[in-house]
Amino acid sequence: MSSSIRKIIKCVIAFSFIFTVVGCGSSKEKTNKETAEVIKNDKELQSEVSLFTSEPYSCISIKGDEYHKKGIFFYNEDGSYTFRKNYKDYDFTKEVKKKNKKLDEQCLEFLDKYDLTKDEVKNYLKYIYNQKQKEFNKLSNKDKILTANKDQKAEYSDFLKDKSDKEITSILQFMKNDMGRYKYDFDEFCNYYYLKYNCPENFYDLYHKLWQELYHDTGIVATYEKYSEDNGKKAVFFNFEGTYCDGYYGFSQDNNGKITYAMIINKIKNTSGLTDESYKLSAHLVNAVTGKDIDECENVVKMSYNVAYPLDGYTCTLTIMSSSEIGFVMTQN
């Protein structure tokens, strides 16, 4: 073999070795600690973990901007990862489709700008989420509630001070499963808590059934307003805003355990469709209480106009109370 050929072979081997070393070095994945340093050292970036909202997440965002306006990476509670840009989501755990090509380019531009890869981002966000979750899980149930609601820690501390461990566990489960999150405005929490635990058992389920059916049928939302207790009489109220009228639903129980359900219209906005809307609002109350078909319930409402109409242990009455008030009342016999 000639010396010139040997030189060529040596050059090729040397070049291959250099390429391999450089290539391996450049493709080495950053550790979670190294990724954290990239974010920490860049004045534009920040990362955070939110465990107490209805949809827990960890994210990398751009400082000073709302999360969805600049472009951020999210790790979600369900294990999915998303890159968000201009109110759109791109799931980079799935194959890129043609319609997402532009968004994918924005995602890659973002990564390139901060010298990060998708895997580095995914691993880091999952890591900080799991770390925060582990820290939270080590807390007592009482401290979990106080940590999630640190802005109103005094109010929650006073509320919990006389509660047993069993009661606090029940409250924590209630916040997570029924209310959908650990963090909640204290006054709103109290309203829902008293509705669940201080009122007759059916009030809580009845409200949710009424809310869902009314909204699906009419688009009207019955918003929980307050709980009250006066001389042993317990009552809860739910406001609504209709197309032709506004008002509220009220469930109450007196000292003798007698229950009354009511729909009260206290603001008439337009009389053209008022009659039909008042029938529909009342019918959904009957439906929630009795489970009867909505059309049958509407007939009951119509037959109860200024008449004490008997129905399944209740007396139903629809009455014009004043020039601006209409009331439908179901009183337990």
Side-chain angles (χ1 to χ4, degrees), residues 218-242:
T218 67
I220 297 173
V221 178
T223 305
Y224 187 22
E225 172 63 18
K226 65 179 180 178
Y227 163 89
S228 70
E229 187 169 348
D230 184 26
N231 293 324
K233 183 178 181 178
K234 300 174 181 179
V236 287
F237 301 92
F238 317 97
N239 293 335
F240 62 78
E241 294 183 8

Side-chain angles (χ1 to χ4, degrees), residues 9-10 17 22 25 32 39 55-56 63 80 91 122 189:
I9 292 173
K10 287 180 180 179
F17 176 75
V22 173
N32 292 320
I39 297 165
E55 296 180 354
K63 289 181 181 178
S80 65
D91 187 341
K122 287 193 287 186
F189 161 76

